[in-house]
Amino acid sequence: MALDNYNFDGFILSLYVDDQGDWLAHFQEIPTVSAFGDTPQEALEELKIAWELIKEEYQAQKREIPIPQKKPVQAG
C-alpha cells in the first residue's frame, strides 16, 4: 500500500484493524478526524474525503486549518 497517493498535510496517521475486523485510520494529532473501511485502502480513502471536507468547513468559517506540530529532533 503506497501512501504517495494521499496528502494528509504532514499529519501522522494511525491505521489499525478493530475487534470487528474493520480498519480505522485517524490522525494522531487530531484523533477526532477518523474514518473506517473494510480494507486499509478504503479507510485511507475515506479519511482523505473526511479531511478535505473538514478543510472546506474551516475555510467556509474563515478559521485557520490545523497544521501538524513539528516533532522535536533528537541528536544521536
Side-chain angles (χ1 to χ4, degrees), residues 19-31:
D19 294 339
Q20 288 78 40
D22 295 319
W23 285 87
L24 172 66
H26 72 86
F27 296 139
Q28 287 184 6
E29 298 93 339
I30 314 174

Side-chain angles (χ1 to χ4, degrees), residues 34-68:
S34 63
F36 289 91
D38 292 331
T39 66
Q41 293 83 5
E42 189 176 305
L44 289 170
E45 284 296 325
E46 292 296 322
L47 184 63
K48 180 180 172 182
I49 293 166
W51 181 231
E52 291 303 318
L53 291 171
I54 288 168
K55 290 192 295 185
E56 287 175 13
E57 185 64 25
Y58 269 87
Q59 290 172 339
Q61 295 177 5
K62 298 188 185 330
R63 294 173 54 200
E64 190 171 322
I65 296 171
I67 57 172

